[in-house]
Amino acid sequence: MAISDMRRQYSMGTLTNKALTDNPLDLFKQWLDEAIAADIPDPTAMTVATVDASGQPSQRIVLLKELTAEGFVFYTNFGSRKAQDLAGNAQVSLHFPWFFMERQISVRGRAEKLPATHNAAYFFSRPLDSQLAAYASRQSQPIENKEALLARFAQLKQQYKEGELPAPEFWGGFLVKPSQIEFWQGGKDRLHDRFEYSLDDEHGWNAQRLMP
């Protein structure tokens, strides 16, 4: 079958005005809870899109680690490509691809670094091997082979087998404060339901239906 002939109907649900909430973060939380309950693979996985100094966009998948009243939290090495992009341009886009539920959510906003105390609290809540991996990997930097990375990890594991790692200054979280959130529900005959929330500093969140 040719790629151009691959298609299917979307018929798992609809999104109506009645289902909307005043604050889109409440609707996001509802959809996230439903994705988790449906046991779909990696329900907290999201694409993070950034733009570098030359205007070149980059995308990668990370895990949402916290949803607050202000927005979406993820963590990374501050030497990573995404962190370097955000240092020069805080505008960011997130995308949640819940294909198994015929849903997706797109977010536009600005990313802000979280305080060091917040970063440390989360870092030390992670399994020890995950902490060690954060120290072993200078994220996005070239390395000669996988064996060198594994050797670095093993060395750190031996070094800290009886002691706690220090809180890393090179690693931490970003809070993405949304200014626009779009909810997409697949529809029959490609007549999808799309609602876009936009934040107005004076009037708060406003929602409008978009054509598919």
Side-chain angles (χ1 to χ4, degrees):
M1 180 184 294
I3 294 175
S4 59
D5 293 330
M6 298 179 67
R7 59 179 58 85
R8 66 182 178 88
Q9 285 283 13
Y10 297 99
S11 58
M12 293 183 67
T14 59
L15 180 59
T16 67
N17 291 75
K18 290 184 179 180
L20 302 183
T21 55
D22 292 338
N23 188 322
L25 291 174
D26 294 330
L27 183 55
F28 177 88
K29 178 64 164 57
Q30 177 185 321
W31 276 27
L32 176 61
D33 288 343
E34 291 172 1
I36 294 171
D39 200 28
I40 67 172
D42 299 316
T44 61
M46 61 182 185
T47 300
V48 177
T50 58
V51 178
D52 68 14
S54 71
Q56 174 64 53
S58 296
Q59 300 179 68
R60 73 288 288 164
I61 294 175
V62 304
L63 298 180
L64 175 70
K65 285 302 178 182
E66 188 178 354
L67 178 67
T68 75
E70 292 186 284
F72 308 84
V73 172
F74 69 91
Y75 292 86
T76 188
N77 188 303
F78 292 142
S80 67
R81 180 175 296 159
K82 56 185 168 295
Q84 293 299 305
D85 286 353
L86 292 172
N89 182 349
Q91 300 292 335
V92 64
S93 177
L94 311 177
H95 180 250
F96 294 85
W98 294 328
F99 304 122
F100 292 92
M101 302 180 74
E102 299 176 358
R103 287 176 171 177
Q104 54 184 317
I105 298 176
S106 300
V107 179
R108 293 180 180 178
R110 291 182 60 85
E112 298 180 359
K113 277 187 175 181
L114 291 172
T117 52
H118 192 113
N119 295 335
Y122 173 70
F123 183 81
F124 290 119
S125 75
R126 305 170 80 206
L128 178 59
D129 280 358
S130 293
Q131 298 177 35
L132 291 166
Y135 268 88
S137 173
R138 296 181 176 90
Q139 193 173 0
S140 300
Q141 299 302 308
I143 190 169
E144 55 270 27
N145 52 49
K146 182 67 173 288
E147 287 70 24
L149 179 62
L150 294 176
R152 171 68 175 160
F153 179 79
Q155 182 266 320
L156 287 166
K157 197 165 187 175
Q158 176 65 25
Q159 180 179 349
Y160 290 102
K161 64 180 180 180
E162 295 182 359
E164 186 177 87
L165 283 85
E169 296 181 357
F170 59 85
W171 185 97
F174 285 92
L175 168 65
V176 177
K177 293 184 175 180
S179 57
Q180 196 172 67
I181 303 180
E182 179 187 323
F183 295 83
W184 184 100
Q185 175 74 60
K188 186 178 178 181
D189 298 322
R190 297 302 188 267
L191 299 177
H192 314 302
D193 292 311
R194 295 175 60 192
F195 282 91
E196 181 182 83
Y197 286 82
S198 296
L199 183 60
D200 184 303
D201 290 338
E202 184 176 350
H203 300 102
W205 288 103
N206 298 303
Q208 61 179 347
R209 178 182 280 272
L210 304 179
M211 288 196 287

